[in-house]
Amino acid sequence: MTNIRDLLAKNMKAYRSALGLSQAKLAEKVETSTHYIGMIETKKNFPSPEMLERIAAALGIDTIDLFYTERNLPETLKTYRKSAIKDVKSLVGRFLDEKLKELK
């Protein structure tokens, strides 16, 4: 049987890493300290329901995704990462198009 702290720590770190976020960047998005994020990922602290929701929102996932054990997490993360990269490429492309229009 898997411990809930273990699940949260493992999944949170996996999603954060898949997005290329440091603990500091996630902490900034969640509006908390890097130390607090580290404490969660090392299983020394467990966040409130509100903080869980903020973490999930910052990672772009549903809160329940932080606790899944049954689905193939590595495959899910690959798909998630591909989607995030596609979104970033699209945003950068639109930004560059706008800047080029301004220069003309």
Side-chain angles (χ1 to χ4, degrees):
M1 185 171 188
T2 305
N3 179 305
I4 195 166
R5 284 179 190 254
D6 292 340
L7 278 175
L8 175 62
K10 177 183 167 196
N11 291 346
M12 187 171 132
K13 185 174 182 178
Y15 279 110
R16 179 180 60 73
S17 295
L19 290 173
L21 295 176
S22 64
Q23 286 183 346
K25 200 53 138 164
L26 178 59
E28 183 180 309
K29 292 177 91 165
V30 176
E31 299 178 352
T32 192
S33 70
T34 303
H35 178 74
Y36 186 70
I37 296 297
M39 294 292 283
I40 296 168
E41 288 189 358
T42 57
K43 304 174 238 170
K44 294 177 181 159
N45 203 333
F46 194 84
S48 69
E50 294 81 13
M51 182 58 76
L52 286 169
E53 289 172 350
R54 288 170 40 197
I55 291 167
L59 294 172
I61 59 176
D62 291 328
T63 307
I64 194 69
D65 291 334
L66 293 169
F67 300 99
Y68 271 122
T69 58
E70 295 177 26
R71 72 174 156 175
N72 186 347
L73 193 57
E75 192 59 41
T76 300
L77 288 172
K78 287 178 193 173
T79 302
Y80 188 67
R81 186 176 194 154
K82 284 179 186 176
S83 175
I85 290 170
K86 183 179 173 185
D87 290 346
V88 168
K89 285 180 180 178
S90 175
L91 288 171
V92 168
R94 283 188 282 181
F95 174 79
L96 292 175
D97 287 344
E98 288 298 317
K99 289 299 176 188
L100 285 173
K101 285 179 188 176
E102 288 176 15
L103 291 173
K104 289 182 180 179

